[in-house]
Amino acid sequence: MKICRAKDYKELSRKAANLIRAQVVMKPDCILGLATGSSPVGTYEKLVEWYKKGDIDFSRVSTINLDEYRGLTPDNDQSYRYFMNIHLFDHVNIDKSRTSVPDGLEPDAEKACRDYDAIIEKSGGVDLQLLGLGHNGHIGFNEPSDEFPCGTHCVDLTPSTINANKRFFASEADVPRQAYTMGIRSIMLAKKIVVVVSGKDKAEILQKVVCGPITPQVPASVLQLHPDVTIVADEEALSCM
Ligand code: GLP
């Protein structure tokens, strides 16, 4: 694992965006695996800024998002499809038909997961996967469990995740209790992985992810086994290391 140090969130976002820009420059028709949450927002802001200056071209890029809440419509302002539209897709020259997010409205969970795995498979593989890190070590919505899940699956969100994500909703009761998420195997198959981690509240879990045992109880610890992971973190997030 490579650690790329940033002094603060702004610098972290610029560094992570630079890694994505390098990927798009080197392979204009690349597949980007994208993440939601507050951590990558600054990264997307930088990419939009550079797009407006003519410094990055998304016209041949395809994207596959990690996860989606079960039961939210794409136009619900808390859905991850909506998040991606407002933070990136609506502001750059990406062909939205080449952007994939799990179908949160598919009531048949098995079908939703099967369909998403087929999309991942058909894409030929993610070139660069961007990840955030949950407070309990989750990536995507792969929550701590007794095993590393392989493919896309439907998860019951843990109280910790519901609590962390309630800030985006009117109340905790409004946070969906389930989500569809790409599995750990699919994440690990990405050629390159970039994890953005910011803030003191992530310092303890980041230390466990990087230096602790590899265990499905800390899902992101599996990244220690991946040959090309860059953790872009600010000083606060690195304060326990
Ligand atoms: C959600 C998302 C994750 C994200 C995590 C951390 O649970 N499903 O992909 O990494 O939140 O979010 P934040 O960056 O806001 O701390």
Side-chain angles (χ1 to χ4, degrees):
M1 279 178 159
K2 281 171 269 186
I3 309 270
C4 178
R5 268 176 189 274
K7 89 172 175 296
D8 53 21
Y9 182 71
K10 194 171 167 209
E11 190 177 294
L12 168 164
S13 301
R14 187 166 43 79
K15 287 185 169 181
N18 255 316
L19 294 174
I20 295 172
R21 176 161 59 166
Q23 174 66 64
V24 175
V25 168
M26 296 305 286
K27 188 176 176 192
D29 61 347
C30 64
I31 317 281
L32 297 178
L34 298 179
T36 52
S38 51
S39 307
V41 167
T43 305
Y44 296 142
E45 262 171 31
K46 269 283 154 206
L47 291 174
V48 170
E49 184 188 318
W50 291 337
Y51 165 72
K52 287 183 177 158
K53 285 191 194 152
D55 289 341
I56 182 166
D57 175 15
F58 287 91
S59 61
R60 294 171 62 201
V61 169
S62 304
T63 65
I64 301 183
N65 260 77
L66 283 168
D67 46 15
E68 179 60 284
Y69 288 113
R70 187 177 186 194
L72 295 194
T73 56
D75 62 352
N76 182 305
D77 61 6
Q78 295 309 328
S79 77
Y80 285 166
R81 162 58 75 180
Y82 186 90
F83 174 103
M84 290 311 304
N85 286 344
I86 60 159
H87 288 291
L88 184 66
F89 300 157
D90 283 347
H91 310 288
V92 299
N93 63 337
I94 199 159
D95 174 352
K96 278 200 191 163
S97 69
R98 291 204 199 145
T99 65
S100 303
V101 179
D103 181 359
L105 276 191
E106 173 55 65
D108 177 345
E110 272 181 33
K111 181 174 183 313
C113 298
R114 217 175 32 242
D115 289 353
Y116 208 59
D117 280 340
I119 289 172
I120 298 167
E121 176 96 35
K122 199 167 155 224
S123 77
V126 169
D127 291 291
L128 184 152
Q129 176 68 56
L130 180 64
L131 294 177
L133 178 66
H135 289 99
N136 56 8
H138 74 237
I139 44 179
F141 268 131
N142 290 277
E143 297 280 34
S145 83
D146 293 336
E147 55 188 35
F148 291 113
C150 283
T152 305
H153 55 288
C154 181
V155 282
D156 294 327
L157 302 180
T158 62
S160 144
T161 301
I162 292 167
N163 186 46
N165 288 356
K166 72 177 184 207
R167 67 202 143 116
F168 301 115
F169 291 83
S171 75
E172 185 171 322
D174 291 327
V175 185
R177 269 33 189 178
Q178 289 188 314
Y180 294 131
T181 183
M182 208 187 256
I184 293 287
R185 179 170 180 272
S186 311
I187 293 172
M188 289 294 279
L189 283 175
K191 296 185 186 90
K192 185 187 274 295
I193 297 180
V194 174
V195 195
V196 281
V197 194
S198 169
K200 237 188 165 37
D201 54 319
K202 297 280 176 75
E204 266 180 49
I205 192 67
L206 183 58
Q207 193 272 345
K208 286 190 188 149
V209 166
V210 176
C211 310
I214 298 167
T215 162
Q217 294 300 334
V218 181
S221 63
V222 76
L223 299 174
Q224 292 177 31
L225 299 174
H226 191 281
D228 189 352
V229 175
T230 304
I231 295 182
V232 190
D234 58 22
E235 294 295 348
E236 286 192 354
L238 290 166
S239 58
C240 288
M241 300 196 20

